[in-house]
Amino acid sequence: SSLCLAAHIQTSRALMVISLLLGFFGIIVSVVGMKCTKVGEEDPVTKSRIAVAGGVLFILSGLCTLAAVSLYATQVTYEFFRESTIPINASLTVLGGSLLCCSCPTKDRRGQQYYRQSQPSTAREYV
Protein backbone atom coordinates (compact mmCIF):
# COMPACT_ATOMS: atom_id res chain seq x y z
CA SER A 1 0.00 0.00 0.00
CA SER A 2 2.99 2.31 0.40
CA LEU A 3 3.48 2.26 -3.37
CA CYS A 4 0.16 4.03 -3.78
CA LEU A 5 1.16 6.95 -1.55
CA ALA A 6 1.94 10.26 -3.21
CA ALA A 7 5.54 11.36 -3.57
CA HIS A 8 5.20 14.24 -1.11
CA ILE A 9 3.89 11.89 1.58
CA GLN A 10 6.76 9.44 1.03
CA THR A 11 9.25 12.31 1.10
CA SER A 12 7.74 13.66 4.31
CA ARG A 13 7.85 10.19 5.83
CA ALA A 14 11.51 9.76 4.88
CA LEU A 15 12.40 13.17 6.31
CA MET A 16 10.63 12.32 9.57
CA VAL A 17 12.48 8.99 9.85
CA ILE A 18 15.78 10.79 9.22
CA SER A 19 14.78 13.36 11.82
CA LEU A 20 14.06 10.65 14.39
CA LEU A 21 17.38 8.93 13.72
CA LEU A 22 19.29 12.21 13.96
CA GLY A 23 17.51 13.02 17.22
CA PHE A 24 18.29 9.58 18.63
CA PHE A 25 21.98 9.86 17.76
CA GLY A 26 21.93 13.43 19.04
CA ILE A 27 20.76 12.17 22.43
CA ILE A 28 23.50 9.55 22.55
CA VAL A 29 26.23 11.96 21.48
CA SER A 30 25.00 14.63 23.91
CA VAL A 31 25.01 12.19 26.82
CA VAL A 32 28.59 11.20 25.95
CA GLY A 33 29.52 14.88 25.75
CA MET A 34 28.08 15.87 29.12
CA LYS A 35 30.57 16.89 31.77
CA CYS A 36 28.77 14.83 34.39
CA THR A 37 29.27 11.50 32.56
CA LYS A 38 32.38 9.36 32.66
CA VAL A 39 31.79 7.95 29.17
CA GLY A 40 34.45 8.65 26.57
CA GLU A 41 37.26 11.16 26.93
CA GLU A 42 38.08 12.85 30.21
CA ASP A 43 39.40 15.98 28.49
CA PRO A 44 36.89 18.85 28.98
CA VAL A 45 37.67 20.33 25.54
CA THR A 46 36.92 17.03 23.84
CA LYS A 47 33.76 16.63 25.94
CA SER A 48 32.55 20.08 24.89
CA ARG A 49 33.24 19.32 21.22
CA ILE A 50 31.24 16.10 21.53
CA ALA A 51 28.40 18.07 23.15
CA VAL A 52 28.50 20.58 20.28
CA ALA A 53 28.29 17.68 17.81
CA GLY A 54 25.17 16.50 19.67
CA GLY A 55 23.72 19.98 19.36
CA VAL A 56 24.42 20.00 15.63
CA LEU A 57 22.59 16.67 15.32
CA PHE A 58 19.61 18.15 17.15
CA ILE A 59 19.60 21.17 14.83
CA LEU A 60 19.69 18.91 11.77
CA SER A 61 16.87 16.84 13.25
CA GLY A 62 14.79 19.97 13.74
CA LEU A 63 15.48 21.16 10.20
CA CYS A 64 14.40 17.79 8.78
CA THR A 65 11.18 17.97 10.80
CA LEU A 66 10.58 21.54 9.65
CA ALA A 67 11.15 20.54 6.02
CA ALA A 68 8.80 17.55 6.29
CA VAL A 69 6.00 19.52 7.90
CA SER A 70 6.42 22.44 5.50
CA LEU A 71 6.41 20.15 2.47
CA TYR A 72 3.26 18.40 3.60
CA ALA A 73 1.49 21.65 4.53
CA THR A 74 2.42 23.23 1.20
CA GLN A 75 1.00 20.28 -0.69
CA VAL A 76 -2.23 20.31 1.34
CA THR A 77 -2.60 24.06 0.77
CA TYR A 78 -1.93 23.65 -2.95
CA GLU A 79 -4.54 20.90 -3.28
CA PHE A 80 -7.03 22.96 -1.27
CA PHE A 81 -6.70 26.05 -3.44
CA ARG A 82 -6.36 24.10 -6.68
CA GLU A 83 -9.98 23.08 -6.43
CA SER A 84 -12.61 25.45 -7.72
CA THR A 85 -13.92 26.01 -4.19
CA ILE A 86 -12.29 29.39 -3.58
CA PRO A 87 -15.54 31.37 -4.02
CA ILE A 88 -17.32 28.92 -1.73
CA ASN A 89 -14.62 29.29 0.93
CA ALA A 90 -14.76 33.09 0.73
CA SER A 91 -18.53 33.09 0.94
CA LEU A 92 -18.41 30.83 4.02
CA THR A 93 -16.04 33.30 5.67
CA VAL A 94 -18.35 36.21 4.86
CA LEU A 95 -21.35 34.24 6.13
CA GLY A 96 -19.56 33.40 9.39
CA GLY A 97 -18.59 37.04 9.93
CA SER A 98 -22.15 38.15 9.26
CA LEU A 99 -23.50 35.72 11.82
CA LEU A 100 -21.05 37.01 14.40
CA CYS A 101 -22.07 40.59 13.69
CA CYS A 102 -25.78 39.72 14.02
CA SER A 103 -25.25 38.16 17.45
CA CYS A 104 -24.38 41.51 19.02
CA PRO A 105 -27.08 42.47 21.59
CA THR A 106 -29.03 45.72 21.42
CA LYS A 107 -28.68 48.37 24.13
CA ASP A 108 -31.92 47.52 25.94
CA ARG A 109 -31.00 43.80 26.25
CA ARG A 110 -27.34 44.26 27.06
CA GLY A 111 -27.74 44.89 30.79
CA GLN A 112 -30.11 41.98 31.31
CA GLN A 113 -28.11 39.49 29.33
CA TYR A 114 -24.47 40.13 30.14
CA TYR A 115 -24.28 41.91 33.49
CA ARG A 116 -25.39 40.61 36.83
CA GLN A 117 -27.41 43.12 38.73
CA SER A 118 -25.62 44.14 41.88
CA GLN A 119 -27.36 44.10 45.21
CA PRO A 120 -28.73 47.38 46.42
CA SER A 121 -26.46 49.21 48.82
CA THR A 122 -29.00 48.82 51.65
CA ALA A 123 -28.52 45.04 51.61
CA ARG A 124 -24.81 45.29 52.43
CA GLU A 125 -23.71 44.73 55.97
CA TYR A 126 -20.90 46.76 57.42
CA VAL A 127 -18.80 45.24 60.19
Side-chain angles (χ1 to χ4, degrees):
S1 70
S2 64
L3 296 175
C4 297
L5 291 177
H8 72 279
I9 294 177
Q10 289 183 353
T11 306
S12 296
R13 180 189 287 178
L15 282 169
M16 289 304 291
V17 169
I18 292 170
S19 173
L20 287 170
L21 290 174
L22 286 171
F24 177 73
F25 289 124
I27 290 172
I28 292 173
V29 171
S30 296
V31 167
V32 171
M34 288 182 187
K35 292 180 182 178
C36 61
T37 60
K38 302 266 187 210
V39 181
E41 299 284 332
E42 296 294 328
D43 183 25
V45 174
T46 307
K47 283 272 202 188
S48 64
R49 287 183 181 160
I50 293 172
V52 168
V56 169
L57 288 174
F58 280 126
I59 290 172
L60 291 174
S61 173
L63 289 175
C64 285
T65 302
L66 182 67
V69 171
S70 297
L71 176 69
Y72 188 77
T74 301
Q75 188 64 29
V76 168
T77 305
Y78 172 75
E79 288 176 4
F80 179 75
F81 285 116
R82 186 184 62 186
E83 303 290 328
S84 60
T85 59
I86 293 174
I88 295 173
N89 295 334
S91 61
L92 285 176
T93 305
V94 171
L95 178 66
S98 301
L99 289 174
L100 283 174
C101 289
C102 293
S103 68
C104 189
T106 58
K107 285 189 176 186
D108 56 338
R109 291 188 338 189
R110 186 177 295 152
Q112 300 168 0
Q113 202 171 26
Y114 292 106
Y115 298 111
R116 292 176 58 195
Q117 292 181 351
S118 61
Q119 294 179 346
S121 60
T122 56
R124 294 183 189 151
E125 295 182 30
Y126 296 99
V127 180

